[in-house]
Amino acid sequence: MNFDAVFWPTRLIPSYRHRRRPPRHQRYAEDVANLDSKIDQALRVDVPEDLADKILFSQTNDTEQPERRTRGYLAMAASIAFVFGLTLGQLNWGITTPDLNRTALDHYYHEQTFIAGINEAATVEQVNAKLQPFGKAFSKLPGEITYINHCSFGGQHALHMVMRASGQTYTVFVVPSASQAPAEKSDGTMHSVSLPVQSANVIVVGKTSGQTAPLAEQLQQQLMPTAI
């Protein structure tokens, strides 16, 4: 069999790599190249020289905004508190002055059973040591002190003494509060007298048959201011 009659000679078959591209393939390659060029140009954007400063300024401004709002809220709260304080102060003007003698009588009845029979025999120096935080001191005392201590007097810190004078027992309070006008009160059994003493009040409670007022006057004269 003659193979030359069946197959073309190899030299007559054109090589594939030497084939010419079809026109549509050529256009596609050109379109892709053009697209790459456009993308490359689009990515080539000049960065402004002050871009970094603008970014930092924007971040700083965003951080300051919450701080400004917080300061504004605090200022508003302070203003409200100030107005509320003024209003409360105006309302307090209508509050009546506490009745020192009524408080003294109540204190006497509440404490007498607890301190009955006690005799501490306190000296004037011991009494003045208790008075030192109040900036007060007695030059002398017109009787024997059988009991002395600090107490709560109507919500105030005060000095509480029990004194024997002229054969009778008296309860004495020194209250370091705004001085009030002289006053007295009696419940039929006990008698209370209060006298002002330099930003304080001396209150003496004794039996109605006793010498409560004269003793209160002596203590008023003998109570002196001293350095705290």
Side-chain angles (χ1 to χ4, degrees):
M1 182 176 180
N2 187 356
F3 290 95
D4 293 337
V6 178
F7 299 100
W8 290 94
T10 303
R11 65 177 179 273
L12 297 179
I13 300 174
S15 174
Y16 177 79
R17 65 175 177 268
H18 296 298
R19 288 182 183 178
R20 187 174 182 178
R21 294 178 180 176
R24 55 192 176 86
H25 290 177
Q26 183 68 27
R27 286 196 301 273
Y28 176 75
E30 291 175 357
D31 291 341
V32 171
N34 290 335
L35 180 62
D36 289 341
S37 177
K38 292 179 179 179
I39 293 174
D40 182 66
Q41 292 177 2
L43 293 176
R44 295 178 182 276
V45 178
D46 295 335
V47 178
E49 295 181 358
D50 60 344
L51 179 61
D53 295 335
K54 290 181 178 179
I55 293 174
L56 291 176
F57 176 78
S58 177
Q59 292 178 345
T60 302
N61 195 35
D62 292 341
T63 302
E64 290 178 350
Q65 289 299 328
E67 294 179 356
R68 290 173 182 169
R69 287 195 293 269
T70 301
R71 289 195 294 267
Y73 295 151
L74 291 176
M76 183 183 300
S79 299
I80 293 173
F82 177 72
V83 173
F84 178 75
L86 288 178
T87 304
L88 184 61
Q90 292 174 351
L91 292 175
N92 284 338
W93 292 344
I95 298 176
T96 57
T97 304
D99 189 336
L100 297 178
N101 290 298
R102 180 70 267 170
T103 303
L105 288 170
D106 292 341
H107 203 297
Y108 165 79
Y109 286 118
H110 182 267
E111 297 287 336
Q112 64 170 338
T113 57
F114 296 101
I115 61 178
I118 297 177
N119 187 0
E120 297 178 343
T123 63
V124 66
E125 289 78 17
Q126 291 173 318
V127 172
N128 289 338
K130 294 285 187 180
L131 284 171
Q132 196 273 336
F134 304 150
K136 299 288 186 290
F138 283 109
S139 57
K140 61 180 180 179
L141 291 170
E144 177 189 1
I145 306 301
T146 61
Y147 174 83
I148 179 173
N149 205 348
H150 290 130
C151 70
S152 177
F153 187 92
Q156 303 177 76
H157 197 49
L159 180 72
H160 179 191
M161 296 190 300
V162 176
M163 176 185 294
R164 286 180 185 165
S166 304
Q168 294 205 26
T169 301
Y170 299 90
T171 298
V172 179
F173 299 99
V174 178
V175 184
S177 61
S179 299
Q180 298 184 17
E184 58 183 310
K185 184 180 289 292
S186 177
D187 61 3
T189 302
M190 303 301 294
H191 183 213
S192 177
V193 176
S194 60
L195 298 176
V197 186
Q198 302 157 351
S199 300
N201 295 276
V202 172
I203 308 159
V204 180
V205 178
K207 292 183 178 180
T208 54
S209 59
Q211 300 295 311
T212 306
L215 181 61
E217 292 174 359
Q218 291 183 59
L219 292 171
Q220 180 191 39
Q221 296 171 3
Q222 294 162 358
L223 186 62
M224 305 294 179
T226 185
I228 298 178

